[in-house]
């Protein structure tokens, strides 16, 4: 019996030990954390209105679609743009007698040439020294050596035959000789109206700085004043804003301007200008070419190309060379070179006002054998005048 009781006690002890081991192992294992409680979700604050602080949206009155005024489909909304102002068309001053009206512009030339000669010829004794002074006066005025010698020889002969010399007789004598020297019988009309076709084609050429583009614009005014319609060709594609300048001149008198890209082919622009002139039925096409140094062979050759390209459509009726009257003998050098490249048919003398170089008219005509057809006597829009020998000489020697 004791053995049984001892066995039971041992069994209880063993079971108790085993139970403690199991509980200890369970305590060593980490239990997973309990799941987090679901967060409380709250609505974000409302977006603030312009000028409001961040606050809860307020109830605002709203209109239904029936209460909204919609535009009537029968009357579409038209946004009116201000009308573009067309440039005002000017009426140029008539060309007839324009040189007479501009006589005062030659006042300085009067003092140097005409009145200077009259003063010398009025001396009581015309000795060799006086005749040399007369020659110097003519040479200083850029008349040229050969024309000066011819004029002095004729004056000496006529004064000798005349004997007594009143101021009026001297003035008449000098006027006659100067008109003869300038040339009263030369054809000075600008050829713009060929008999067999339209339009007449005029090229304007010259070196840089002579006022070539301005002269082309003023010539357009001269032609419009004489009742002709004009198309301008802005073939000066090298000088910045040259086309804009010419177009502005054209718009003032209603002349259409054909132009190309800056730096483009000038011959192409000239060709298109003539083509446009034909389609529009214009009377005259004026082509403003690029100014160039007469010493640059490549540029001069290009000028010849422009003329050849234009003549694929029609002959060029006029090639006007623009010369600065103040350049004197240097202008004659320029004239020679241009005449070799294109056939010059007429001269335009600019800046003849306020210069003592009035004799350049005689010299350049002798040099090229072509007449001075137009003269520029100021900066005004209508200060380009057809050249009239008698009016020019009268302006030189005064009343």
């Amino acid at each position: 019996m004791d053995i049984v009781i001892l066995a039971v006690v041992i069994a209880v002890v063993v079971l108790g030990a085993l139970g403690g081991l199991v509980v200890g192992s369970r305590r060593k294992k980490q239990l997973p954390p309990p799941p987090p409680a679901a967060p409380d979700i709250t609505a974000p604050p409302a977006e603030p209105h312009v000028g409001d602080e961040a606050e809860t949206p307020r109830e605002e009155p709203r209109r239904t679609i029936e209460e909204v005024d919609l535009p009537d489909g029968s009357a579409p909304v038209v946004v009116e743009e201000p009308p573009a102002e067309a440039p005002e068309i000017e009426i140029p001053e008539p060309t007839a007698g324009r040189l007479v009206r501009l006589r005062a512009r030659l006042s300085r030339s009067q003092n140097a040439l005409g009145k200077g000669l009259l003063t010398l010829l009025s001396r009581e004794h015309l000795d060799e020294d006086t005749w040399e002074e007369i020659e110097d006066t003519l040479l200083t005025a850029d008349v040229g050596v050969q024309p000066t010698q011819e004029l002095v020889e004729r004056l000496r002969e006529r004064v000798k035959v005349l004997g007594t010399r009143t101021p009026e007789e001297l003035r008449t004598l000098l006027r006659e000789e100067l008109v003869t020297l300038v040339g009263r019988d030369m054809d000075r009309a600008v050829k713009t109206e060929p008999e067999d076709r339209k339009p007449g084609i005029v090229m304007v050429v010259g070196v840089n700085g002579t006022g070539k583009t301005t002269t082309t614009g003023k010539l357009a005014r001269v032609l419009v004043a004489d009742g002709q319609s004009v198309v301008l060709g802005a073939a000066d594609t090298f000088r910045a804003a040259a086309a804009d300048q010419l177009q502005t001149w054209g718009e003032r008198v209603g002349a259409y301007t054909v132009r190309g890209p800056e730096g483009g082919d000038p011959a192409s622009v000239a060709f298109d200008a003539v083509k446009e002139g034909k389609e529009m039925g214009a009377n005259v096409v004026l082509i403003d070419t690029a100014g160039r140094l007469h010493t640059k062979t490549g540029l001069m050759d290009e000028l010849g190309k422009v003329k050849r390209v234009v003549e694929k459509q029609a002959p060029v009726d006029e090639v006007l060379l623009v010369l600065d009257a103040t350049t004197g003998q240097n202008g004659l050098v320029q004239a020679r070179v241009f005449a070799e490249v294109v056939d010059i048919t007429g001269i335009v003398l600019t800046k003849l006002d306020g210069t003592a170089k009035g004799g350049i008219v005689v010299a350049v005509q002798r040099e090229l054998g072509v007449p001075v057809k137009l003269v520029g006597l100021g900066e005004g829009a209508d200060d380009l005048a057809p050249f009239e020998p008698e009016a020019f000489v009268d302006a030189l020697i005064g009343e």
Side-chain angles (χ1 to χ4, degrees):
M1 187 66 181
D2 293 333
I3 296 173
V4 173
I5 294 171
L6 181 62
V8 171
V9 171
I10 294 172
V12 171
V13 172
V14 171
L15 289 174
L18 291 173
L21 291 173
V22 171
V23 173
S25 65
R26 285 182 178 177
R27 286 178 179 174
K28 291 180 181 179
K29 293 183 180 179
Q30 295 288 336
L31 295 177
D40 294 334
I41 300 175
T42 58
E47 292 287 336
H49 292 270
V50 176
D52 293 340
E53 299 294 336
E55 61 181 7
T56 305
R58 297 184 294 270
E59 288 293 332
E60 298 178 353
R62 299 186 179 183
R63 294 184 295 170
T64 64
I65 191 169
E66 290 80 7
E67 297 172 330
V68 177
D69 295 329
L70 298 176
D72 187 0
S74 60
V77 178
V78 178
V79 179
E80 294 186 1
E81 297 182 358
E85 294 184 3
E88 183 179 352
I89 303 299
E90 300 178 9
I91 301 176
E93 179 184 341
T95 59
R98 185 180 287 186
L99 187 59
V100 175
R101 295 193 296 274
L102 297 173
R103 179 179 295 181
R105 304 290 174 82
L106 293 171
S107 58
R108 287 180 60 184
S109 291
Q110 289 180 17
N111 296 332
L113 180 56
K115 289 190 175 180
L117 291 177
L118 278 176
T119 301
L120 292 171
L121 289 172
S122 299
R123 289 181 180 177
E124 186 175 353
H125 299 289
L126 296 178
D127 53 17
E128 288 300 322
D129 291 339
T130 302
W131 287 112
E132 286 183 7
E133 289 184 54
I134 292 174
E135 284 189 5
D136 291 341
T137 300
L138 291 168
L139 292 172
T140 302
D142 279 336
V143 173
V145 176
Q146 186 64 31
T148 292
Q149 292 175 347
E150 294 176 8
L151 179 58
V152 169
E153 185 177 343
R154 289 201 303 269
L155 285 173
R156 292 183 74 154
E157 183 177 346
R158 293 194 63 178
V159 168
K160 184 177 181 180
V161 172
L162 186 62
T164 58
R165 305 180 305 279
T166 65
E168 186 58 34
E169 288 174 333
L170 283 174
R171 185 185 181 283
T172 301
L173 181 151
L174 183 59
R175 182 184 186 279
E176 291 175 356
E177 292 299 332
L178 287 175
V179 169
T180 301
L181 192 66
V182 170
R184 72 173 80 213
D185 299 327
M186 303 182 81
D187 183 6
R188 302 183 186 276
V190 179
K191 300 295 188 299
T192 57
E193 299 180 85
E195 297 179 357
D196 56 339
R197 59 180 167 79
K198 288 175 64 176
I201 302 172
V202 180
M203 282 182 61
V204 183
V205 303
V207 301
N208 296 304
T210 57
K212 182 176 45 54
T213 299
T214 299
T215 297
T216 305
K218 290 182 178 181
L219 178 56
R221 296 179 66 89
V222 169
L223 297 173
V224 169
D226 290 339
Q228 301 192 53
S229 57
V230 178
V231 169
L232 297 171
D236 184 354
T237 59
F238 299 128
R239 183 169 65 87
D244 292 336
Q245 180 184 357
L246 188 65
Q247 184 170 353
T248 300
W249 277 103
E251 289 174 347
R252 293 168 67 179
V253 292
Y256 181 70
T257 302
V258 176
R259 53 187 297 177
E262 187 174 329
D265 181 16
S268 176
V269 176
F271 184 90
D272 290 343
V274 175
K275 180 180 178 182
E276 191 72 24
K278 286 182 175 181
E279 294 175 354
M280 295 177 63
N283 297 111
V284 188
V285 174
L286 294 179
I287 301 173
D288 176 34
T289 62
R292 56 203 69 233
L293 295 174
H294 60 284
T295 56
K296 299 296 183 181
T297 304
L299 292 176
M300 296 303 292
D301 290 344
E302 188 177 71
L303 182 61
K305 173 190 171 184
V306 172
K307 186 171 184 287
R308 290 193 301 272
V309 168
V310 168
E311 288 183 329
K312 291 181 179 180
Q313 295 198 77
V316 174
D317 299 288
E318 284 275 9
V319 179
L320 298 177
L321 174 62
V322 180
L323 291 177
D324 184 339
T326 63
T327 60
Q329 295 299 312
N330 187 48
L332 299 184
V333 176
Q334 299 169 12
R336 292 190 202 105
V337 179
F338 275 91
E340 293 172 0
V341 178
V342 288
D343 295 327
I344 303 298
T345 59
I347 306 295
V348 182
L349 279 177
T350 63
K351 306 178 186 178
L352 196 59
D353 58 312
T355 174
K357 305 294 185 180
I360 191 67
V361 172
V362 177
V364 72
Q365 289 183 157
R366 287 292 188 94
E367 181 66 33
L368 299 183
V370 298
V372 171
K373 295 191 172 184
L374 298 159
V375 289
L377 296 168
E379 298 297 328
D382 292 321
D383 288 346
L384 185 71
F387 185 75
E388 303 166 20
E390 290 83 359
F392 177 72
V393 171
D394 286 342
L396 288 181
I397 63 178
E399 297 296 339

